[in-house]
Structure formats: structure tokens, C-alpha cells
């Protein structure tokens, strides 16, 4: 029936089956053979042929059966191979685990999942691949499986061969195999990615919750309710955060609609939200919530795609901010108004200040003009021939003393006004202390001598230079020296010392031996018009002097002070900044002397021109000049006639008032300087404008000297002589004179 040689032999079960078949076939054959051998001779040839034919058919039958068997074998092989492919390439890990927990089999996906080759997995304990903390859980799971037998799942964390953790879902069944030994068939699915996504979603959810609950802004989600037939459009509150109540002032809204909660609010709320819902374009807007008396700033946006019916709104209560802004606007407006007022006030003040300065300047001029006549004529009488009687002399002295005092008052008030209005211009430059001291000494000596006071200037060991305005520096020192002499005891002394107190600082001390000052008196020392009880004494003074002095020192970055002991004397001191620079402009006018005055018949005839509109002043100078027979005085009452006379008469010296009808003295000078015939004639300004600025301007314009009214006759004559000396020294002037 079968041919053993034709079996492939590699499939044990098939081979053993084949052998049994063959054995049976051989037995049958042998039986038949024995029968045939016994009956062979008795059989007829027909019977023999019949038997042979039967055998042949059997053989063919066997061969056909064999062929079928081989075909079935092949099909089985294919099925088995397919089964193994399925087993290995299944997308889930699969393994068989013994009752004791050993891995008996594992598919390819299981080895991939655990990251190890299959040979290293099979024979290992399954729990070796489970993280420690999940092992107890797995133990219970296994126990339950074996007890119940049904399919059960669990999710636990496993470890790959390299220690990487992964989340796995197990689906297992317990089964008995052929030998009725329990095995677990375990399907493993890697769910790490899903777990990760779940975690991410949970985190995101948590973050959203946190934000939702902790944000300052009110937040709500609204759902659109379509207006049914006849019913208006509305929105329902689905979700609100805790800040919603704080910001809106509305409570208990979930599930209700806006129309239910806020029936009074206008229609545009719904229009706005509907627009956001249909267009998907977010809107930021501001609206007052009349029901709650609040102003809200809102931001509405659609949640989801075009199909969405949800609108989220984030909003803030900005009522306070808006109120504050409104208030600030009002304040701003008020401030602007104030500023405008202030500006107007400043303009008015500036105008007033300018007017004040102009008033002071003109008042000074107006006061000086009559004073000029008083002092001038008094001096004229005092020095006239015949000399005044002793009684007349006493009266004239009183006039002169009062007059000069009045002049001093005017000067001091003018000066102080200038300082107080900030109009005093100082030129700070290196000033030689030695030079200033020498000049002051020269100037103060006659006064000291007159009063019998000894003045000592201690020698300077170093040539100090201070940063100061030289004119004002002299004014300060003269004031202190003058006071020290004035308020000294009879036969007293004044000592001036310079001490370097700190690097770059020098202290100038003026020490007197007067009565001294009590602390109370010192306190009131620097107040104007406070003469500390000196009113009763003969010495005159306004008390402005010290105030002015202190202001000047401070304007030059210095400090001034006083130390005093009652009964012993006072020390007035000032401290100034020293400077390393050495250059020094000496603005000092050469000391005035009367030595050059030459009188007598042999003196050459000189011509003077006086341009002056004020009759009293004109008469004064006329009378003064009349005492000098060699001087001939021409006069003009205005600028233009002054120019005319100057150009025709070519006088030796011109005396010029500044304030004149028509053109001013400055303009006259300008014309004279431009004409070569008159350019070299010395012109003396003779003006009641005593403000330093005016004096400087005059000197800059080219006046030979600037004499302020009232004049001191001696000084005036001395200056005139100087001018005459200069006039004589100019050769072409001398030549033109001799031609005449
Ligand atoms: Mn005048």
C-alpha cells in the first residue's frame, strides 16, 4: 500500500504512520503469498492472471493513496508555517508563562517590546521584566488568573532589557496544556505612548483648571441659543470661573441665559456675541454694565470651528481705572489751566521786574540830577572866592554831608536792588590779592588818617590769586575797612590778615578795636536798614552796606562771617576760593592825583565844549570853569548842536551828558569818532546814569572817562586835566590848533 522510500521521513509522525501501514501491507501480502504458494500448482493460469491483476490494482491504489498523503503533508507544512508567521509577526507581544512564572515561549513582538533576543527571554522569570513597585500587583494578578481561569487584563510598568521603563497592558488566560499543567498565555501591548498622551492631556487639563480658577480676569463660556420663532437670540452660561463674580458682581449664572440674568441690558450685547460666534473673529470692547453700575473691558472669542456655538469671554472691571482716568483728565486740565495762569503771571512778573529795574534806573537818575546841583553848588561856594564865613562854612558842611549821605543811600539801594533782582553781572577771574590790598590801602588811608586810626596790612607770604570780580572785591574790602574805621574807638587800630585755611581757600580778616557786638547784635547784623543802635551816633550809614557785602561774597562763591567780643572789638572775615591762574586784568583807574593841575597866567588857552540839557548842571560847570581863566567853555543844549559846535570849533576836550534831547550822548560820540577831525578829541561822559552796566557801556563806546553826577569838584578837575594832557599829546591836534 505504501512505499517507505517515497516518504520524506523528516516529519516523525508521518514516518511512524507510514511504517505501521507498510507492516500491515506486508502481513497481508505474506498471507496471500502463502495461500498462493499452497494453491499455486492447483490454480489455473486464469486464476493466476486474476490474482496478478488484483495485485497490480492494489499497487496502483496504494500509489494514489500515497500521493494524496504527500499532498496533505504539504498543506499541513504550509499551515504550520503560516501559523508561526502569525505567531511571530503578530503586532502584540505574546508569551507563554509557566505556573511557576517562567517564560516558556515568546514571539518576535514580545522580544521587540522587551528589547532582547528571544533566546535571552525564554527561560527567564516574567517578573524580572516588571518594575519593582508593580511586582506585588503582578503576583496577585497571576494568582487570580490561575484561580479563575478566565481572561483578565491589567496595566503595569515593565522594564526593557536595557532598563528603559514602558507601560504595558496585559491580557492573559490560564489554560491547562495536554499534560494538565497550568500555563498562562499572555498578550502584551505597549501603551507607553498612550499613557504619555494621557498624562499630557491631564497636565493640560490641570493647567487650564488652575488658570481658570486663579486668573484675575472674569471668564465665562457662553452657548448660543437660536432664537426660535418669535424668540430673540440669547446665550446661556455654561462655565464661569471664580473671578467672574468679583469682576461682574453677578452670581449664580450657570445654566441661565443672559436675558434671564440681565433683562435690562441693551441688545448690542447679543449682536456682538453673535458676530463673534458666526465670524470667529475675536472682539475686544468696552461696555458699561448698567445693571451693576460697572464699566467692563471684554475680550470675546469663539471656542472651536465654524460649527461651534460657544463663545468665551474674558473681562475686567475697569470702573475704578476709568474713574481715575476721568479724574486725572480733570486734574490735567486744571494743571494746564494753572500752568497757563502761571505763565501769564510769569510774563507779568517779568514785565514788572523789568519795569522795576527801569524804574530804579530812572529814579536813580532823577534823584542824582537835583542832588548834582545841590552838591555841585555847595562845593562851588565852599571853594569860592571870597571864602565863606565860618558860619556859612558850617552850613555848607551840613549841606554837603547830608548830600553825600543821600548819594550813598541812592547808590546802596540801587546796588542792592540789582543784586536782589539777579541782574548784577559779575566777571569772575583771577585777582591778585596783593594788588587789591594795595589799592584798598591807598583808598582808605585818608579816611583812617582823618580819624586817627592806624591801619596795618600784614604782608602776604605768597602771591595769592582769588577767583573774584576785581571791582566788587574792592567794594567788599573797602566796605569792611570803612566800617572798621568808622566804628572804632578813638586812636584804635585796624589789622588786615590773610590766612590760608584749607587747600584752595583763603580767609581775609579785618580786625578792629571797636566796642564789639553782642550775640544778639550779630544775629541782626546782615539785615538791611538795621544799624544796631548806631543811629544815635554821628557815623552815617544805611546798614545796607554789610548786607550787600555778604551777598557779593556769596555771589563769588565765598563765605562771610563775624566774630566779636564786646569791649574788645570785632573781626569781619570772608573766605574765598584761590585759583592757580595768574593772569590779572587790572581795571584799576590810575590813582587820581591833583598834582598835574597847573594854574596861572602862563597856562595855554584851552577850549572846552559841554553838551548838557539840564540848566543847573550847565551853570555849575560854567561857574567852575570860570575860576580858570585859561579855560574857555562852549555849551550846547542838545546832541545835534553839540555835534555841530564840536565840528566847527574843534574843542580840546568835550564834556558830554548822555540823556539829551534829540540824539543821545552815545550817538554824538559815535558821530565824532567817525569824523577824522574830531576822532581824537577826548570826550568825558558826565552822567547821572550810575548803573555799572551803563558805565561799562559808555566806556566801551569810547568815552575817555565816565564821571557820575553829582561830581566831586576835585576829582572832576583832576580828570579834566588828564584829558587835557592827552589832548596836548596828540601831534596833529596840536598842529591843527596852531594853524587856527
Ligand atoms: Mn541830561
Amino acid at each position: 500500500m505504501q512505499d517507505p522510500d517515497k516518504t520524506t521521513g523528516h516529519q516523525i509522525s508521518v514516518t511512524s504512520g507510514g511504517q505501521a501501514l507498510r507492516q500491515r501491507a506486508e502481513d497481508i501480502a505474506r498471507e496471500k503469498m502463502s495461500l498462493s504458494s499452497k494453491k499455486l500448482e492447483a490454480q489455473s493460469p486464469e486464476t493466476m492472471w486474476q490474482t496478478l491483476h488484483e495485485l497490480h490494482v492494489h499497487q496502483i491504489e496504494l500509489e494514489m493513496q500515497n500521493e494524496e498523503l504527500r499532498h496533505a503533508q504539504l498543506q499541513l507544512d504550509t499551515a504550520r508555517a503560516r501559523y508561526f508567521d502569525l505567531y511571530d509577526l503578530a503586532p502584540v507581544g505574546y508569551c507563554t508563562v509557566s505556573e511557576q512564572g517562567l517564560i516558556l515561549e515568546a514571539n518576535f513582538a514580545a522580544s521587540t517590546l522587551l528589547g532582547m533576543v528571544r533566546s535571552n527571554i525564554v527561560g527567564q522569570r516574567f517578573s524580572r521584566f516588571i518594575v519593582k513597585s508593580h511586582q506585588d500587583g503582578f503576583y496577585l494578578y497571576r494568582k487570580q488568573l490561575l484561580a479563575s481561569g478566565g481572561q483578565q487584563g491589567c496595566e503595569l510598568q515593565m522594564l526593557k532589557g536595557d532598563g528603559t521603563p514602558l507601560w504595558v497592558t496585559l491580557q492573559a488566560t490560564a489554560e491547562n496544556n495536554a499534560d494538565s499543567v497550568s500555563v498562562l498565555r499572555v498578550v502584551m501591548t505597549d501603551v507607553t505612548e498612550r499613557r504619555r498622551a494621557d498624562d499630557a492631556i491631564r497636565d493640560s487639563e490641570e493647567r487650564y483648571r488652575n488658570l481658570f480658577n486663579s486668573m484675575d480676569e472674569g471668564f465665562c463660556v457662553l452657548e448660543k441659543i437660536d432664537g426660535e420663532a418669535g424668540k430673540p437670540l440669547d446665550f446661556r452660561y455654561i462655565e464661569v470661573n471664580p473671578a467672574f463674580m468679583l469682576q461682574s458682581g453677578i452670581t449664580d449664572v450657570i445654566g441661565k441665559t443672559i436675558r434671564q440674568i440681565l433683562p435690562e441690558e441693551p441688545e448690542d450685547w447679543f449682536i456682538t456675541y453673535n458676530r463673534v460666534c458666526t465670524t470667529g473673529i475675536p472682539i475686544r470692547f468696552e461696555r458699561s454694565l448698567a445693571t451693576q453700575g460697572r464699566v467692563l473691558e471684554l475680550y470675546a472669542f469663539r471656542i472651536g470651528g465654524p460649527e461651534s456655538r460657544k463663545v468665551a469671554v474674558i473681562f475686567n472691571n475697569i470702573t475704578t481705572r476709568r474713574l481715575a482716568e476721568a479724574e486725572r483728565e480733570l486734574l490735567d486740565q486744571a494743571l494746564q489751566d494753572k500752568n497757563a495762569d502761571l505763565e501769564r503771571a510769569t510774563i507779568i512778573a517779568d514785565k514788572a521786574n523789568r519795569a522795576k529795574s527801569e524804574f530804579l534806573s530812572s529814579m536813580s537818575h532823577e534823584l542824582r540830577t537835583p542832588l548834582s546841583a545841590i552838591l555841585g553848588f555847595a562845593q562851588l561856594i565852599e571853594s569860592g572866592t571870597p571864602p565863606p564865613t565860618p558860619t556859612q562854612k558850617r552850613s555848607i558842611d551840613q549841606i554837603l554831608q547830608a548830600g553825600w549821605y543821600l548819594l550813598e543811600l541812592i547808590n546802596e539801594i540801587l546796588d542792592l536792588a540789582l543784586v536782589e533782582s539777579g541782574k548784577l553781572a559779575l566777571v569772575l577771574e583771577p585777582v591778585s590779592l596783593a594788588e587789591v590790598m594795595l589799592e584798598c590801602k591807598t583808598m582808605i588811608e585818608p579816611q583812617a588818617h582823618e580819624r586817627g586810626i592806624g591801619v596795618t596790612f600784614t604782608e602776604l607770604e605768597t602771591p595769592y590769586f582769588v577767583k573774584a570780580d576785581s571791582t566788587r572785591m574792592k567794594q567788599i574790602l573797602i566796605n569792611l575797612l570803612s566800617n572798621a574805621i568808622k566804628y572804632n574807638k578813638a586812636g584804635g587800630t585796624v589789622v588786615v590778615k590773610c590766612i590760608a585755611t584749607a587747600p584752595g581757600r583763603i580767609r581775609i580778616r579785618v580786625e578792629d578795636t571797636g566796642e564789639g557786638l553782642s550775640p544778639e547784635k550779630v544775629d541782626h547784623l546782615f539785615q538791611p536798614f538795621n544799624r544796631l543802635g548806631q543811629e544815635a551816633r554821628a557815623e552815617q550809614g544805611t546798614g545796607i552796606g554789610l548786607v550787600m557785602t555778604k551777598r557779593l561774597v556769596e555771589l563769588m562763591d565765598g563765605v562771610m562771617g563775624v566774630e566779636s567780643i564786646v569791649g574788645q572789638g570785632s573781626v569781619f572775615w570772608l573766605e574765598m576760593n584761590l585759583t592757580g591762574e595768574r593772569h590779572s586784568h587790572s581795571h584799576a583807574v590810575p590813582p587820581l592825583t591833583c598834582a598835574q593841575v597847573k594854574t596861572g597866567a602862563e597856562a595855554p588857552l584851552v577850549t572846552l565844549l559841554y553838551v548838557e540839557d539840564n540848566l543847573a548842571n550847565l551853570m555849575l560847570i560854567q561857574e567852575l570853569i570860570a575860576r580858570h581863566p585859561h579855560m574857555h567853555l562852549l555849551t550846547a543844549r542838545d546832541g545835534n548842536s553839540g555835534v555841530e559846535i564840536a565840528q566847527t570849533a574843534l574843542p580840546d576836550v568835550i564834556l558830554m551828558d548822555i540823556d539829551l534831547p534829540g540824539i543821545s550822548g552815545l550817538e554824538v560820540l559815535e558821530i565824532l569818532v567817525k569824523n577824522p577831525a574830531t576822532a581824537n578829541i577826548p570826550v568825558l561822559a558826565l552822567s547821572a546814569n550810575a548803573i555799572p552796566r551803563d558805565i561799562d557801556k559808555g566806556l566801551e563806546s569810547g568815552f575817555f572817562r565816565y564821571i557820575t553826577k553829582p561830581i566831586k569838584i576835585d576829582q572832576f578837575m583832576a580828570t579834566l586835566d588828564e584829558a587835557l594832557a592827552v589832548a596836548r599829546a596828540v601831534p596833529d591836534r596840536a598842529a591843527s590848533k596852531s594853524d587856527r
Side-chain angles (χ1 to χ4, degrees):
M1 261 182 15
Q2 83 177 88
D3 185 350
D5 295 338
K6 286 188 179 175
T7 60
T8 48
H10 73 274
Q11 296 296 343
I12 296 162
S13 60
V14 170
T15 307
S16 59
Q19 273 175 339
L21 205 64
R22 183 178 173 153
Q23 191 60 52
R24 245 172 64 220
E26 274 184 2
D27 289 349
I28 294 165
R30 211 172 287 127
E31 195 183 323
K32 281 188 177 172
M33 282 291 279
S34 66
L35 274 176
S36 60
S37 58
K38 282 172 197 169
K39 296 173 187 174
L40 205 59
E41 285 161 6
Q43 282 175 356
S44 65
E46 287 83 20
T47 314
M48 287 274 285
W49 190 86
Q50 187 65 37
T51 307
L52 201 66
H53 175 75
E54 261 177 55
L55 279 170
H56 194 68
V57 170
H58 272 299
Q59 191 183 350
I60 291 166
E61 247 177 29
L62 271 172
E63 275 172 4
M64 282 169 71
Q65 276 175 358
N66 201 25
E67 185 60 30
E68 268 172 44
L69 200 64
R70 220 159 50 89
H71 188 69
Q73 181 69 43
L74 265 172
Q75 276 183 330
L76 187 65
D77 284 352
T78 312
R80 279 187 73 94
R82 218 173 20 240
Y83 162 74
F84 273 96
D85 279 354
L86 268 173
Y87 176 81
D88 254 2
L89 300 176
V92 289
Y94 182 81
C95 54
T96 316
V97 179
S98 74
E99 206 172 351
Q100 289 72 35
L102 291 176
I103 298 171
L104 301 174
E105 284 177 294
N107 74 343
F108 182 70
S111 91
T112 310
L113 193 133
L114 295 175
M116 284 175 86
V117 293
R118 221 180 308 190
S119 54
N120 287 349
I121 297 171
V122 174
Q124 294 278 346
R125 299 193 66 81
F126 188 82
S127 58
R128 171 207 179 288
F129 296 101
I130 295 170
V131 297
K132 268 223 166 63
S133 57
H134 287 190
Q135 281 183 0
D136 287 353
F138 178 69
Y139 174 78
L140 287 171
Y141 171 66
R142 202 163 56 114
K143 212 171 141 188
Q144 223 171 351
L145 266 176
L146 290 168
S148 71
Q151 188 180 342
Q152 287 189 35
C154 84
E155 195 166 303
L156 48 76
Q157 208 170 14
M158 295 184 75
L159 288 168
K160 286 190 182 221
D162 63 1
T164 316
L166 73 161
W167 279 96
V168 175
T169 310
L170 301 183
Q171 285 292 337
T173 45
E175 277 176 19
N176 290 331
N177 68 3
D179 308 321
S180 56
V181 174
S182 286
V183 288
L184 301 177
R185 303 195 187 282
V186 184
V187 175
M188 302 183 289
T189 315
D190 184 349
V191 293
T192 312
E193 280 308 313
R194 198 206 73 214
R195 291 283 302 215
R196 207 171 283 161
D198 285 354
D199 286 353
I201 289 168
R202 204 175 43 247
D203 285 356
S204 149
E205 184 78 10
E206 200 175 289
R207 269 202 302 277
Y208 166 74
R209 264 308 129 197
N210 273 335
L211 185 68
F212 183 77
N213 287 328
S214 59
M215 68 198 273
D216 267 353
E217 290 86 357
F219 180 80
C220 63
V221 178
L222 299 166
E223 191 178 29
K224 185 166 137 185
I225 309 165
D226 268 333
E228 291 159 28
K231 273 194 166 179
L233 184 71
D234 204 350
F235 286 85
R236 175 179 285 121
Y237 290 98
I238 303 177
E239 213 179 347
V240 297
N241 72 340
F244 178 91
M245 201 275 271
L246 283 172
Q247 297 288 352
S248 68
I250 310 168
T251 51
D252 195 21
V253 296
I254 296 288
K256 294 176 186 160
T257 72
I258 297 181
R259 286 189 197 277
Q260 288 170 338
I261 306 260
L262 305 165
E264 305 294 319
E265 292 298 327
E267 206 60 27
D268 57 354
W269 284 101
F270 306 98
I271 295 166
T272 305
Y273 288 151
N274 193 43
R275 195 186 313 145
V276 173
C277 195
T278 47
T279 63
I281 301 165
I283 299 181
R284 187 179 291 282
F285 62 107
E286 197 178 307
R287 189 131 317 169
S288 67
L289 186 61
T291 323
Q292 303 294 321
R294 295 182 185 206
V295 181
L296 302 182
E297 187 185 46
L298 308 102
Y299 181 72
F301 57 97
R302 186 174 70 193
I303 300 179
E307 299 306 312
S308 172
R309 308 174 64 78
K310 288 181 182 171
V311 174
V313 185
I314 300 174
F315 65 97
N316 266 315
N317 175 11
I318 56 164
T319 317
T320 321
R321 201 211 299 171
R322 282 286 170 272
L323 282 175
E325 275 167 9
E327 200 173 331
R328 199 173 58 212
E329 239 162 73
L330 280 174
L331 284 174
D332 277 356
Q333 191 52 52
L335 196 67
Q336 272 174 21
D337 292 350
K338 275 264 156 60
N339 279 342
D341 286 352
L342 203 66
E343 217 165 284
R344 274 193 295 276
T346 308
I347 291 167
I348 292 167
D350 279 353
K351 246 187 203 165
N353 207 26
R354 266 199 305 279
K356 185 181 128 191
S357 289
E358 277 157 26
F359 169 75
L360 279 169
S361 165
S362 72
M363 190 183 74
S364 154
H365 179 266
E366 292 309 307
L367 290 172
R368 277 167 179 273
T369 306
L371 199 54
S372 175
I374 295 166
L375 286 169
F377 286 106
Q379 287 178 86
L380 214 56
I381 297 165
E382 187 194 26
S383 58
T385 30
T389 64
T391 320
Q392 284 172 330
K393 174 87 171 88
R394 272 198 299 280
S395 305
I396 292 165
D397 280 349
Q398 285 300 317
I399 294 170
L400 284 173
Q401 203 182 333
W404 289 122
Y405 173 52
L406 190 56
L407 183 65
E408 190 187 329
L409 261 174
I410 294 166
N411 285 343
E412 285 184 348
I413 290 167
L414 190 65
D415 253 5
L416 189 64
L418 282 174
V419 170
E420 301 282 277
S421 67
K423 296 216 184 248
L424 192 75
L426 293 179
V427 183
L428 295 187
E429 56 187 358
V431 173
S432 163
L433 215 49
E435 272 179 42
V436 170
M437 292 292 188
L438 186 66
E439 277 183 52
C440 290
K441 191 179 179 192
T442 315
M443 285 165 84
I444 210 73
E445 258 170 358
Q447 193 187 337
H449 185 73
E450 190 185 320
R451 297 209 173 222
I453 308 288
V455 182
T456 316
F457 285 77
T458 53
E459 289 269 319
L460 291 169
E461 61 267 28
T462 325
Y464 291 116
F465 283 78
V466 290
K467 196 111 181 153
D469 181 299
S470 67
T471 310
R472 295 302 181 175
M473 188 71 197
K474 271 178 260 173
Q475 185 184 343
I476 290 163
L477 288 172
I478 291 288
N479 186 283
L480 294 183
L481 286 165
S482 167
N483 281 348
I485 292 164
K486 230 189 257 180
Y487 303 116
N488 219 315
K489 67 180 181 196
T493 57
V494 174
V495 180
V496 182
K497 286 177 185 165
C498 294
I499 304 150
T501 46
R505 296 283 279 184
I506 189 144
R507 185 178 281 216
I508 302 159
R509 289 164 60 93
V510 179
E511 305 174 358
D512 66 47
T513 52
E515 282 177 14
L517 300 157
S518 67
E520 302 84 62
K521 283 183 175 177
V522 168
D523 283 347
H524 295 105
L525 202 56
F526 297 106
Q527 291 168 0
F529 303 103
N530 191 334
R531 291 189 53 232
L532 307 177
Q534 298 294 345
E535 293 86 341
R537 289 178 49 158
E539 290 82 8
Q540 285 175 334
T542 54
I544 294 174
L546 267 180
V547 179
M548 180 68 191
T549 302
K550 189 161 188 279
R551 299 277 156 86
L552 284 174
V553 169
E554 285 160 1
L555 280 174
M556 295 191 284
D557 301 324
V559 185
M560 189 178 157
V562 61
E563 297 153 15
S564 193
I565 299 167
V566 177
Q568 288 188 21
S570 307
V571 180
F572 284 83
W573 57 263
L574 56 121
E575 216 171 82
M576 302 286 294
N577 284 327
L578 285 172
T579 173
E581 294 173 75
R582 287 297 148 103
H583 93 96
S584 168
H585 297 295
S586 185
H587 293 302
V589 174
L592 302 174
T593 57
C594 303
Q596 287 148 1
V597 180
K598 284 184 188 170
T599 49
E602 73 274 19
L605 185 71
V606 291
T607 310
L608 306 175
L609 167 65
Y610 186 23
V611 188
E612 171 66 84
D613 60 323
N614 182 286
L615 197 58
N617 286 326
L618 205 58
M619 281 169 62
L620 176 66
I621 299 298
Q622 270 175 335
E623 294 218 7
L624 192 58
I625 298 301
R627 293 178 179 179
H628 303 271
H630 69 290
M631 290 184 184
H632 174 57
L633 184 71
L634 302 170
T635 61
R637 298 296 297 275
D638 63 76
N640 287 316
S641 51
V643 171
E644 210 181 305
I645 296 170
Q647 283 173 349
T648 49
L650 296 173
D652 295 276
V653 170
I654 300 171
L655 309 171
M656 182 77 67
D657 182 28
I658 304 284
D659 280 319
L660 288 168
I663 57 171
S664 77
L666 286 165
E667 286 167 299
V668 174
L669 178 69
E670 211 174 300
I671 295 165
L672 295 179
V673 168
K674 275 184 189 155
N675 184 345
T678 52
N680 290 317
I681 303 174
V683 185
L684 296 178
L686 209 59
S687 173
N689 286 342
I691 295 173
R693 196 187 54 212
D694 293 335
I695 298 174
D696 288 346
K697 206 165 82 185
L699 289 172
E700 273 165 32
S701 310
F703 283 115
F704 178 73
R705 290 282 188 276
Y706 193 108
I707 300 167
T708 58
K709 295 173 194 168
I711 57 161
K712 281 198 162 143
I713 289 176
D714 289 352
Q715 284 181 10
F716 169 75
M717 287 313 295
T719 311
L720 181 58
D721 280 337
E722 268 182 76
L724 285 170
V726 168
R728 273 193 293 272
V730 178
D732 63 330
R733 287 270 317 130
S736 74
K737 275 215 69 102
S738 57
D739 287 349
R740 208 170 52 169

